[in-house]
Amino acid sequence: MDVDARVRTDPAGALLSLHDVEVRYPGATEASAQDISFDVRSGRTLGLVGESGSGKSTIGRAVLGLVPISAGSMSYRGEDISHRDQRVSRRLSAHLQVVFQDPYSSLNPNRTIEQTLVEPLLVHSALGSREMRDAAAEMLAEVGLDEAALGRYPAHFSGGQRQRIAIARALIVGPELVICDEAVSALDLSVQAQVLNLLKRLQADRDVTYLFISHDLDVVRFMAHEMVVLRRGEIVEHGAAEQLISAPKHPYTRRLLASAPVPDIERQHRRREAARSFAED
């Protein structure tokens, strides 16, 4: 591991902290993620970036408690959540939510939008049925959809609209931390921009924290305050997003930058030439 990759923020001010976390799936000869250490500060966005198989989604699933960790520790607001039981997981779900990649499979096609949005409130609130409907309508308005959507089914909406509904479902209980796992990668570029701007606005309005997982460096650059670059399950670089992208230190980060599509052909050529020179160093 690169020395710079292990520099961490002040854990006392962190919402979420991972320290030397390892995830090893049963029967696997190698860990899917190992020696993972970083902090996510409240009201900020930390981006996890890397190619397919880099371990970024595995880390997100570990934070959510969907896969167990085999070594290391995780804490949320100072509470150890490394090996949480069902009671702790249920309590945490009010504070920790997720927006998945596929807006088509993440919503139950047999439930109306109202049923989808109200479901978390049934678990985490004491609201009456009318109050829950009002809360669902208000949340839809926050993500740019009309109250009339409540009575409709997911099949009636486009991919971008479905992802707005998924975001509404994640935020309706007022979580502190939302994991966005490739949340815009299945969307057209123009729709991606709309959803990313929506996520930024909601962060400013609600002071929500994001752990933003993506293979797209440009998307992470737009969203994240800090960035963690992963390769084959290990952190190779970690730092302020803008600084890391403008002056990457690790050859893998440089290769990611050089391979990222950009509209300016001349700029893309310069990136490739730079990557070639880095490889020769």
Side-chain angles (χ1 to χ4, degrees), residues 9-200:
T9 56
D10 178 10
L15 184 65
L16 173 73
S17 290
L18 277 68
H19 183 68
D20 292 338
V21 165
E22 177 184 285
V23 179
R24 187 181 295 271
Y25 289 101
T29 57
E30 295 183 0
S32 295
Q34 59 185 342
D35 297 326
I36 303 299
S37 297
F38 61 77
D39 300 317
V40 185
R41 290 181 288 170
S42 182
R44 311 273 286 179
T45 298
L46 184 135
L48 292 182
V49 66
E51 296 171 309
S52 177
S54 63
K56 55 189 185 298
S57 289
T58 294
I59 295 168
R61 290 172 61 82
V63 172
L64 288 165
L66 299 177
V67 296
I69 66 172
S70 50
S73 63
M74 290 190 296
S75 63
Y76 185 82
R77 286 202 173 278
E79 176 188 2
D80 192 327
I81 59 169
S82 305
H83 307 286
R84 72 204 77 165
D85 58 21
Q86 188 173 3
R87 177 185 58 83
V88 173
S89 294
R90 182 185 176 94
R91 173 168 55 80
L92 274 178
S93 66
H95 307 285
L96 182 60
Q97 288 287 317
V98 60
V99 178
F100 290 109
Q101 175 180 356
D102 187 358
Y104 293 91
S105 62
S106 64
L107 300 178
N108 189 328
N110 300 314
R111 287 178 174 268
T112 65
I113 304 309
E114 180 178 357
Q115 290 172 322
T116 294
L117 295 184
V118 161
E119 185 177 19
L121 295 175
L122 292 171
V123 177
H124 297 297
S125 82
L127 299 176
S129 57
R130 181 64 205 179
E131 292 171 313
M132 285 190 287
R133 180 182 173 85
D134 290 343
E138 290 173 8
M139 194 67 246
L140 279 181
E142 282 197 57
V143 300
L145 294 174
D146 191 85
E147 183 177 356
L150 288 174
R152 299 163 68 188
Y153 290 86
H156 297 142
F157 298 92
S158 67
Q161 289 172 324
R162 291 187 196 197
Q163 201 63 312
R164 288 173 182 266
I165 293 166
I167 292 168
R169 178 182 60 188
L171 291 178
I172 196 166
V173 292
E176 294 177 305
L177 175 64
V178 175
I179 296 177
C180 299
D181 189 358
E182 296 281 10
V184 298
S185 64
L187 306 176
D188 293 338
L189 287 177
S190 61
V191 181
Q192 277 190 18
Q194 295 170 14
V195 174
L196 291 172
N197 282 316
L198 170 65
L199 287 168
K200 275 209 161 188

Side-chain angles (χ1 to χ4, degrees), residues 133-276:
R133 180 182 173 85
D134 290 343
E138 290 173 8
M139 194 67 246
L140 279 181
E142 282 197 57
V143 300
L145 294 174
D146 191 85
E147 183 177 356
L150 288 174
R152 299 163 68 188
Y153 290 86
H156 297 142
F157 298 92
S158 67
Q161 289 172 324
R162 291 187 196 197
Q163 201 63 312
R164 288 173 182 266
I165 293 166
I167 292 168
R169 178 182 60 188
L171 291 178
I172 196 166
V173 292
E176 294 177 305
L177 175 64
V178 175
I179 296 177
C180 299
D181 189 358
E182 296 281 10
V184 298
S185 64
L187 306 176
D188 293 338
L189 287 177
S190 61
V191 181
Q192 277 190 18
Q194 295 170 14
V195 174
L196 291 172
N197 282 316
L198 170 65
L199 287 168
K200 275 209 161 188
R201 177 175 59 78
L202 290 168
Q203 182 173 52
D205 291 347
R206 290 175 161 261
D207 197 30
V208 66
T209 305
Y210 294 137
L211 180 59
F212 198 92
I213 300 168
S214 179
H215 68 279
D216 191 325
L217 275 168
D218 285 336
V219 167
V220 175
R221 180 179 191 172
F222 178 76
M223 288 296 302
H225 300 93
E226 292 181 75
M227 184 184 299
V228 170
V229 181
L230 294 158
R231 180 176 183 265
R232 296 178 182 175
E234 295 187 0
I235 296 175
V236 298
E237 197 157 3
H238 179 190
E242 193 61 41
Q243 180 179 351
L244 189 150
I245 287 178
S246 61
K249 296 179 180 179
H250 196 279
Y252 177 71
T253 309
R254 295 166 182 164
R255 288 199 295 272
L256 284 180
L257 281 166
S259 63
V262 292
D264 186 331
I265 301 301
E266 184 177 342
R267 181 182 171 205
Q268 189 173 36
H269 175 72
R270 290 198 301 269
R271 276 188 177 180
R272 287 174 177 165
E273 287 299 314
R276 188 176 297 113

